[in-house]
Every structure is written in C-alpha cells, then in structure tokens.
Amino acid sequence: PVTPHRGAVELGYWRDDYVSLFVRSAERRAPEINRGYYARVQSCFLVVEQFLKLTGGECQVVSLGAGFDTLFWRLHEEKNSPTCVYEVDFKQVVARKALAIKTKRKLNEALVEAKISGNGVSSRNYHLISGDLRDTTDLHQRLCQAGVDFSLPTILLAECVLVYLSPEESRGLLHWASTSFPSALFLNYEPVNLGDRFGQVMLSNLRSRGCPLRGGLTCETVADQKKRYSDAGWASSECVIMNEIYGMLPVEDVKRMEKIEFLDETELLHQLLEHYCLSWATNDDRRLGLAGIGFVG
C-alpha cells in the first residue's frame, strides 16, 4: 500500500513509529494537503484521548474501515490503551494488515495472547476482523464473535468512510451503532459543504480517479451532518468545520508544524479545511459526560 500519511510523518508533521511498518513507500503531497492531514490526525486523536480520560480506560474502540491505521500501537506506546481495540475492514485489507502484524515484531509484541492468520487477528487487547459496513446484521455478528461488549463505553471511529456509502447505507450504519451501543461516541471525519463550486470540483476530481463519493448528498451542510445523527437516534451531536478546529489545536505544536514546509499563500489551505469537518454523536446511558467532549477555542 501507498499512503500520503507516511509522507507527512517522514517530514515530521506528527510522530508515528508504526506507519512505515505497514506502508512501503511515501507519497509526497503539497504542504496544504499535509497540514490538512495533520489537523485530521491530531483532532481525531484529541477526541479519543478525551474519551479515554472520561472512561478511565474502561472502554473499547471500534474502528470502522480502519485501513492501515496505527491508533492501537500509538495508544499502547503512550500507556493509554482502552480495554480493547476492534478494527474492521474488507478482507483484502485485513489480510495485508494481518501479514504485517505477524511478520513485524514491533507490531505483534504489543498484542496479548495473539492468534494471527490471513483472516485476521485475535488477542485479548486487539482484534482485526473482516466485514462489510453495508451489512450491519453480519457486522454485528462478527463483532459479537470477536468479543465486543456492547454495554461497555465505546468510541466508534469512521474517517472518510461514511461518504463512500450510499445515504441509505450510512443511515443504516449510524442507526445500528446508536441502537447497539447505549454508552458511546461516534466520531466521523469527512467532506462537507460540497454544494459550492470548490466542493463540486472536489467531487469531479474524485470521480475522474474512480472514487465517487456515493454519500456526497448527505454532506452538503453542517446541519445535514447533525440531522442524520438525530434521525438515527443519537442523543446529542456536534459538527465542526476543520477550519475552526485548526484554530483550536494546541498552539505550540501548530507553530512547530507550520515551520516544516513553507506556505506562501494560505487561501487554498483554508478552502480545503472549509470542505472537511469532524462530527460526533453520543449516547450516554452511564452519564459519563460524553456530550462535553469537544474543542475549546
């Protein structure tokens, strides 16, 4: 696999000692793109950290469409792990990730009592399973078999995943998550504001590369993002444009990051950030204060 994330990591945008173990080569991207990746990675990680703090680590992570994400290992390195991490993706991705975990000591030494095969990974603190997010009945069964405790506080992660599903499919997934996890936070990163000229160019470019955004119509506004959570039964929801979140990230680290690559003109960066958002919804039967998770300007 090739991913632009490794290119940003190699330049020092953020630290990730594990992505190179999954990804053969780095794709170099423009500074605006790398800053956007930085904002995405840092903001998602900050939400996960808040969730872990509120639950005291007595929780689980369910990563939907996890790809070659390294969150499990980064949290383990920081000694800030949840009870268990469950990752779900298509079987082709799972097979490649499982092979990397099996053959790289730095990856498999973090697992407790692991069983690794071409079909996935099973251990006390990490599971990698194949599944199709469009079939929530099968997904639920696979998570049950892997040992998910649906009563345990759970953070579900979906980064640029829902937008590739049809509106009906994403609605079904959000409804399944809301009804299955009474104490949970669903975190979603994806495009927004696609109805304007810049958004239409984004859609056109992705279509020309064979990556149509089937769920683009559900991403037109911030209000659309919040409404689909309430329609799916979530108790509370928030949606923040990445332009706003960029200004709420830790100031000193942003200053460090911005020195890595010179950016003569910031207009394109702001346009990009205006067309992505971070949204999250909560159910809080345990009254942990999950609705208080977020960003402070």
Side-chain angles (χ1 to χ4, degrees):
V2 178
T3 173
H5 281 183
R6 179 173 175 178
V9 168
E10 288 184 351
L11 289 170
Y13 276 80
W14 67 92
R15 182 185 169 193
D16 186 337
D17 295 336
Y18 305 96
V19 67
S20 63
L21 301 176
F22 289 117
V23 179
R24 287 193 307 270
S25 57
E27 181 182 345
R28 295 300 293 267
R29 301 298 294 270
E32 296 91 347
I33 302 296
N34 286 331
R35 291 191 185 189
Y37 281 128
Y38 168 88
R40 167 184 171 175
V41 170
Q42 298 300 91
S43 59
C44 288
F45 197 74
L46 285 170
V47 172
V48 171
E49 285 188 317
Q50 290 179 65
F51 190 87
L52 287 166
K53 185 175 181 180
L54 270 181
T55 60
E58 294 296 316
C59 62
Q60 59 198 358
V61 175
V62 176
S63 185
L64 304 170
F68 296 94
D69 186 61
T70 61
L71 177 66
F72 166 77
W73 290 272
R74 287 181 285 133
L75 290 174
H76 182 267
E77 181 182 321
E78 293 188 1
K79 296 180 171 54
N80 190 27
S81 296
T83 301
C84 195
V85 172
Y86 299 85
E87 294 186 342
V88 182
D89 213 311
F90 290 123
K91 61 181 180 180
Q92 300 93 327
V93 177
V94 167
R96 295 173 78 170
K97 191 168 191 176
L99 179 62
I101 294 170
K102 183 177 182 178
T103 55
K104 307 286 175 56
R105 182 179 176 184
K106 192 171 182 178
L107 296 174
N108 61 53
E109 67 183 2
L111 309 182
V112 179
E113 299 175 9
K115 297 179 181 178
I116 306 173
S117 72
N119 297 319
V121 178
S122 176
S123 74
R124 284 176 56 188
N125 57 341
Y126 172 83
H127 291 263
L128 174 63
I129 62 177
S130 62
D132 188 334
L133 304 182
R134 296 167 296 186
D135 185 347
T136 55
T137 300
D138 183 65
L139 175 64
H140 192 95
Q141 184 177 353
R142 288 171 183 265
L143 289 173
C144 284
Q145 291 171 347
V148 165
D149 180 352
F150 290 92
S151 68
L152 194 66
T154 302
I155 180 166
L156 300 105
L157 309 177
E159 295 184 47
C160 287
V161 170
L162 298 188
V163 73
Y164 288 101
L165 303 177
S166 71
E168 294 76 19
E169 290 163 350
S170 63
R171 198 157 41 236
L173 184 64
L174 288 170
H175 181 263
W176 162 79
S178 174
T179 54
S180 299
F181 296 94
S183 180
L185 184 148
F186 193 106
L187 180 65
N188 176 40
Y189 173 89
E190 68 179 4
V192 72
N193 292 330
L194 295 179
D196 65 15
R197 186 170 179 272
F198 191 89
Q200 291 301 307
V201 172
M202 282 176 57
L203 288 171
S204 177
N205 288 341
L206 286 165
R207 277 195 299 268
S208 68
R209 289 159 49 191
C211 300
L213 300 185
R214 299 174 66 219
L217 291 177
T218 63
C219 307
E220 288 193 346
T221 68
V222 165
D224 292 336
Q225 292 279 350
K226 296 183 69 173
K227 184 177 185 299
R228 65 176 175 175
Y229 287 122
S230 59
D231 288 348
W234 290 89
S236 71
S237 65
E238 294 291 341
C239 179
V240 185
I241 299 295
M242 291 305 295
N243 243 340
E244 296 179 43
I245 287 180
Y246 190 90
M248 294 186 279
L249 295 173
V251 175
E252 291 305 312
D253 196 57
V254 170
K255 287 180 179 178
R256 173 201 63 80
M257 177 273 297
E258 289 181 339
K259 293 176 182 177
I260 294 172
E261 291 184 285
F262 177 69
L263 194 60
D264 182 46
E265 178 56 63
T266 60
E267 182 180 353
L268 178 56
L269 171 64
H270 291 307
Q271 280 188 312
L272 285 168
L273 294 176
E274 196 66 24
H275 288 82
Y276 283 89
C277 67
L278 195 66
S279 66
W280 59 97
T282 61
N283 285 331
D284 198 5
D285 277 15
R286 295 197 182 191
R287 299 184 179 179
L288 297 169
L290 299 181
I293 289 176
F295 298 86
V296 179

